[in-house]
């Protein structure tokens, strides 16, 4: 049997190894000092133009977090367009303002303060229509509408993971850098966000996930690592 001290040492070493790569990148990268107000927020041209696309659309995006945080974490959001709509609606969570949850008209695929977006999921047609109904219901039931904590959650990734779990049409594996996706709303066990496995989590500080889509992830202090 491994003694408690040995276990603690091994756990600490594992955690330091998980952080070594991002920490080295952060230390070696040059920061331009550019204000967030001046960063790129333009569209990447990924999403179809509403004027050219009649059908309903649901897309899930992720992008590296602003500034040095991007070495460790991503920000995720959901965009929806009902059939025949002239604009998208963007749903996400931020740390500014009274209401953490935001649902407002906007371009779905803009850069996140200088970092280009990654398309994580794309639904069209009737499947997207059904998903939009369930997405609205999930957003209204989100248990942390006025709460935001960058680490370990609830944050933007907690919100997106919650919505994905409630919407069967969304089969999405969030990036392992989506810190906060393991912050569970109720209890310590839940389905993986993609619905293809299960996870155990202690308020996002420690956990384990086994899923067909996400693989096996070990979460130590929200530093997730895909093991297989």
């Amino acid at each position: 049997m491994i003694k408690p001290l040995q276990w603690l040492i091994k756990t600490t070493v594992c955690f330091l190894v998980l952080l070594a790569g991002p920490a080295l990148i952060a230390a070696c990268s040059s920061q331009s000092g550019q204000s967030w107000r001046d960063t790129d927020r333009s569209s990447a041209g990924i999403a179809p133009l509403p004027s050219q696309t009649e059908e309903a659309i649901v897309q899930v995006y992720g992008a590296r977090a602003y500034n040095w945080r991007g070495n460790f974490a991503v920000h995720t959001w959901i965009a929806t367009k009902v059939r025949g709509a002239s604009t998208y609606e963007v749903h996400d969570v931020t740390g500014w303002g009274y209401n953490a949850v935001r649902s407002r008209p906007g371009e779905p695929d803009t850069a996140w303060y200088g970092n280009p977006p990654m398309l994580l999921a794309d639904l069209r047609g009737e499947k997207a229509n059904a998903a939009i109904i369930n997405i609205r219901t999930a957003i209204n039931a989100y248990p942390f509408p006025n709460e935001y904590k960058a680490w370990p959650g609830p944050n933007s990734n907690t919100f997106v993971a919650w919505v994905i779990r409630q919407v069967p049409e969304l089969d999405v594996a969030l990036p392992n850098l989506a810190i906060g996706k393991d912050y569970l709303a109720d209890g310590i066990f839940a389905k993986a966000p993609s619905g293809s496995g299960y996870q155990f989590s202690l308020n996002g500080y420690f956990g384990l996930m086994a899923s067909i889509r996400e693989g096996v992830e070990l979460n130590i202090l929200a530093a997730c690592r895909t093991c297989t």
Side-chain angles (χ1 to χ4, degrees), residues 137-155:
T137 301
I139 291 174
N140 290 333
Y142 180 60
F144 311 110
N146 302 315
E147 297 180 47
Y148 179 89
K149 186 182 293 184
W151 177 87
N155 57 27

Side-chain angles (χ1 to χ4, degrees), residues 55 63 119 123 212:
E55 64 181 347
L119 181 62
L123 301 183
I212 295 174

Side-chain angles (χ1 to χ4, degrees), residues 42 110 131 152 204 216 224:
S42 63
T110 57
V216 177
C224 294

Side-chain angles (χ1 to χ4, degrees), residues 127-181:
K127 189 174 183 179
N129 262 330
I132 290 172
I133 295 173
N134 291 326
I135 287 170
R136 288 173 174 170
T137 301
I139 291 174
N140 290 333
Y142 180 60
F144 311 110
N146 302 315
E147 297 180 47
Y148 179 89
K149 186 182 293 184
W151 177 87
N155 57 27
S156 62
N157 301 316
T158 308
F159 167 74
V160 172
W162 160 268
V163 173
I164 290 172
R165 288 189 182 97
Q166 314 307 311
V167 179
E169 294 83 7
L170 286 175
D171 178 14
V172 187
L174 296 180
N176 56 8
L177 287 179
I179 293 174
K181 69 183 177 71

Side-chain angles (χ1 to χ4, degrees), residues 182-201:
D182 300 317
Y183 190 95
L184 304 180
D186 185 19
I188 60 176
F189 292 100
K191 286 186 177 181
S194 69
S196 62
Y198 292 89
Q199 68 179 115
F200 158 79
S201 180

Side-chain angles (χ1 to χ4, degrees), residues 8-33:
L8 179 61
I9 293 174
K10 289 184 177 182
T11 301
T12 302
V13 170
C14 180
F15 176 66
L16 292 175
V17 169
L18 291 177
L19 291 181
L24 182 60
I25 294 173
C28 296
S29 61
S30 59
Q31 302 296 333
S32 64

